[in-house]
Amino acid sequence: MRITVLAGGVGAARFLEGLCRAADPADITAICNVGDDFAWHGLHVSPDIDTVIYTLAGLEGELGWGVRGDSLAALGELAELGEEPWFQIGDRDLATHVWRTERLHAGRPLSEVTADLARLRGLDLALLPVTDDPHPTVVVTPDGPLDFQDYFVRGRASAEVVGVEFPDAASASPAPGVLDALATPDVVIVAPSNPFVSIEPILVVPGVRDALRDTSAPVVAVSPIVGGEAVKGPAAAMMQTLGHEVSALGVARLYEGLVDVFVLDEVDGALAPAVEALGMRAVVTDTMMTSADRRLALASAVLDASGAR
């Protein structure tokens, strides 16, 4: 079974961890958001890609990102030198960014570097950035635009979001393998990720949304909103300020026309008929990935819901 996953953030990484136990990892392709990528002291950081790699390699940090039990000696030294330590990079995590940046500066594309990094961490799935080109996410607030990490980390996602923009999207091209992964799988899964800043940055790369719409495979999406709240991150607040209903149904409406099956948590079971009125089949199950067993159970339920196995 060939499985393609659109992935961004901690929720996607945890879902993929369960999926890699529910199916053969060699049959899985994860297309990752790169809108969060940025330069930190001259180093290229790919937060969503790294979160997937660390999680699947068994290195997932205590907060869902970074490396578990990492030290902060380099960050402390930068603080001693007067640098504001607003973005927390641990020492083992730092090695990843040094390694990546050196290869990018040598002219290798992000997709090749990512594939090598995943292989060196012992992963068998195919991990693809959606594009090799610069493709930043910009968050628009009443006080002006913010680079994503300035909004999310430096500002702790406290600013009101009135828009999300992708200024370089039109000039970006899908990375090698991305469109093929959407054209030929047995199932496509939209992971439980923020629809505005994790999934939309993938879809706006030219050709990707059309490929998802045109695929012959069933497309299954998992709601990141449970009981009217985001499982993690600012998705619920964004939905409210951007004028959408803050519910699993609100997420389903965002995916109308792209998704065949929509997976809701049990607490949102009453919304299933309204989801189905959008032309999707609603599946109600436990979507809370608070343990390894629950991650596996959700991934298995999603595969069963797709009808592809």
Side-chain angles (χ1 to χ4, degrees), residues 73 78 122 275 285 300:
L78 284 169
V275 169
T285 191
S300 297

Side-chain angles (χ1 to χ4, degrees), residues 3-7 12 15-16 19 28-32 187-191:
I3 305 167
T4 297
V5 182
L6 305 189
F15 177 80
L16 282 165
L19 187 64
I28 300 170
T29 298
I31 300 173
C32 282
V187 59
V188 178
I189 301 169
V190 181

Side-chain angles (χ1 to χ4, degrees), residues 136-152:
T137 294
V138 174
V139 174
V140 182
T141 76
D143 296 323
L146 292 173
D147 291 339
F148 181 80
Q149 296 300 346
D150 283 333
Y151 156 76
F152 187 62

Side-chain angles (χ1 to χ4, degrees), residues 42-44 99-108 113:
L43 300 177
H44 185 109
W99 187 94
R100 173 189 293 115
T101 303
E102 181 179 59
R103 283 151 182 80
L104 292 174
H105 283 176
R108 297 187 61 199
V113 175

Side-chain angles (χ1 to χ4, degrees), residues 2 12 24 28 32 46 54 66-67 74 78-79 94 99 102 104 121 128 132 140 157 166 168 189 222 238 262 268 285:
R2 296 161 300 174
D24 185 344
I28 300 170
C32 282
S46 294
Y54 291 150
V67 179
L78 284 169
L94 180 63
W99 187 94
E102 181 179 59
L104 292 174
R121 291 296 189 182
L128 302 176
D132 286 326
V140 182
F166 310 100
D168 294 338
I189 301 169
V222 183
M238 284 185 170
F262 192 77
D268 294 317
T285 191

Side-chain angles (χ1 to χ4, degrees), residues 80-213:
E80 287 289 330
L81 295 170
E83 297 290 334
E84 179 189 359
W86 64 275
F87 195 89
Q88 191 171 81
I89 297 280
D91 298 322
R92 294 174 65 192
D93 193 14
L94 180 63
T96 295
H97 311 313
V98 170
W99 187 94
R100 173 189 293 115
T101 303
E102 181 179 59
R103 283 151 182 80
L104 292 174
H105 283 176
R108 297 187 61 199
L110 181 62
S111 53
E112 287 186 11
V113 175
T114 299
D116 285 351
L117 186 58
R119 176 181 53 80
L120 289 168
R121 291 296 189 182
L123 308 188
D124 293 325
L125 87 167
L127 190 58
L128 302 176
V130 66
T131 181
D132 286 326
D133 299 316
H135 175 41
T137 294
V138 174
V139 174
V140 182
T141 76
D143 296 323
L146 292 173
D147 291 339
F148 181 80
Q149 296 300 346
D150 283 333
Y151 156 76
F152 187 62
V153 179
R154 192 192 295 269
R156 301 186 179 184
S158 61
E160 179 184 354
V161 178
V162 297
V164 180
E165 298 177 347
F166 310 100
D168 294 338
S171 59
S173 298
V178 167
L179 297 184
D180 287 344
L182 291 168
T184 61
D186 295 299
V187 59
V188 178
I189 301 169
V190 181
S193 303
N194 187 311
F196 305 107
V197 295
S198 291
I199 300 302
E200 187 64 14
I202 297 173
L203 297 178
V204 297
V205 172
V208 173
R209 190 186 304 273
D210 288 344
L212 181 63
R213 184 180 292 114

